[in-house]
Amino acid sequence: MRGKTDIDRRIWALFDGYVHGSITRREFLDRAARFTASGISAATILTALSPDYALAQKVDPADPSISVGYKKYASPKGAGVMRGYFARPSTTGHKLPGVVVIHENRGLNPYIEDVARRLAVAGFIAFAPDALTPLGGYPGNDDDGRALQRQRDGEEMIEDFAGLAGVELVVIDADTRLRQFRQELRWNEVYYGLRRGFTG
């Protein structure tokens, strides 16, 4: 196998289904085996396609130009108390724009933390909530993260993310209000087929 670009598009489609929860790891391996070249196992392809967070890191957590850490926030209509990763420029003399970084169906993994740091380097305050907080947080690998996220109630998670602002009316921009934000989260949930995964 020469590289990721040489992988059959049908395997990419299966991988997309696997990472977004519509098929299991076992189903991916069984189906991908049909399209692999002789001498290459489906497990080898899965390893090649899976992220290597250490190699993908763009901003070191110890970068002196930013300040990072974990913070808790109240989510009274959701899980109660949530936790997330906070990143901001170390020094600033003015108000900064903020970005909420919502992770996929694996929890607050190292890639999402790195995205928050990238935003801080670019001059934003970034906060990435971990939907797996009520279950102990991101477990250290994406497979277990996917399994945990399927245990969460989808409506409760929407409240955890929307409740992050701490107010009933959230203005994301001049044209977006909380109802639209919740509808967008629900649309993403349906698009990725996560509804079934969230509720078990």
Side-chain angles (χ1 to χ4, degrees), residues 55-67:
L55 291 176
Q57 179 177 289
K58 302 280 187 212
V59 179
D60 189 313
D63 184 323
S65 71
I66 61 172
S67 174

Side-chain angles (χ1 to χ4, degrees), residues 62-73:
D63 184 323
S65 71
I66 61 172
S67 174
V68 300
Y70 296 94
K71 296 194 179 285
K72 292 182 179 179
Y73 67 96

Side-chain angles (χ1 to χ4, degrees), residues 12-72:
W12 279 110
L14 290 170
F15 185 71
D16 184 66
Y18 165 62
V19 298
H20 291 106
S22 62
I23 64 173
T24 66
R25 178 186 178 92
R26 177 81 271 156
E27 289 170 319
F28 170 82
L29 292 172
D30 289 344
R31 294 176 189 177
R34 298 178 198 153
F35 307 112
T36 59
S38 62
I40 299 174
S41 71
T44 299
I45 289 177
L46 179 59
T47 300
L49 294 177
S50 297
D52 183 337
Y53 293 125
L55 291 176
Q57 179 177 289
K58 302 280 187 212
V59 179
D60 189 313
D63 184 323
S65 71
I66 61 172
S67 174
V68 300
Y70 296 94
K71 296 194 179 285
K72 292 182 179 179

Side-chain angles (χ1 to χ4, degrees), residues 12 14 35-36 52 56 59 68 87 92 94 99 105 110-112 118 127 155-156 166 168 174 177-178 194-195:
W12 279 110
L14 290 170
F35 307 112
T36 59
D52 183 337
V59 179
V68 300
T92 182
H94 58 282
V99 177
N105 65 336
Y111 172 73
I112 300 300
R118 293 178 207 179
F127 189 74
E155 291 296 317
E156 184 178 83
E168 284 299 313
R177 304 238 182 252
L178 181 58
L194 298 178
R195 185 80 178 141

